[in-house]
Amino acid sequence: VDEALSDRIRAVIGDIGGLLVRTGEDRIAEALKRPGVTTMKMGGRIMSAYVWVDPETLDDTSLRQWIALATDFVATLPPKVKKAKKAK
């Protein structure tokens, strides 16, 4: 896991009150079994491929594990296609 990324994430976790992790559908049940983890809700709607991690449960080891889980999932996604800029 990229240590610089871990440091940047640590710096903002306290400000936002937790960690949003994109797990993907196939790993959500596994993720929800971990301490301090709940389903992610936004606007009353459950975001099915994401979890919310309580910052009190995040030590260096668990943070690295969450980052690895998320980056492993994101690596499976197709690259984003850049949209053409609109002319002014």
Side-chain angles (χ1 to χ4, degrees):
V1 173
D2 181 342
E3 194 58 39
L5 176 60
S6 297
D7 290 341
R8 290 192 310 268
I9 291 172
R10 271 189 219 94
V12 298
I13 286 174
D15 292 340
I16 61 173
L19 178 66
L20 175 64
V21 180
R22 187 170 185 186
T23 63
E25 294 285 340
D26 59 333
R27 310 260 327 252
I28 194 88
E30 171 190 341
L32 287 168
K33 292 178 184 175
R34 295 178 67 177
V37 178
T38 59
T39 55
M40 178 59 195
K41 294 178 186 172
M42 185 173 283
R45 182 174 159 240
I46 293 176
M47 298 176 68
S48 60
Y50 296 81
V51 295
W52 186 255
V53 184
D54 183 324
E56 297 296 318
T57 65
L58 292 170
D59 59 17
D60 287 345
T61 300
S62 65
L63 179 58
R64 284 188 191 96
Q65 290 169 345
W66 283 116
I67 293 170
L69 180 93
T71 55
D72 287 350
F73 171 73
V74 172
T76 69
L77 299 174
K80 283 189 174 184
V81 178
K82 291 186 178 184
K83 294 181 182 179
K85 292 184 179 182
K86 293 182 181 180
K88 292 185 179 182

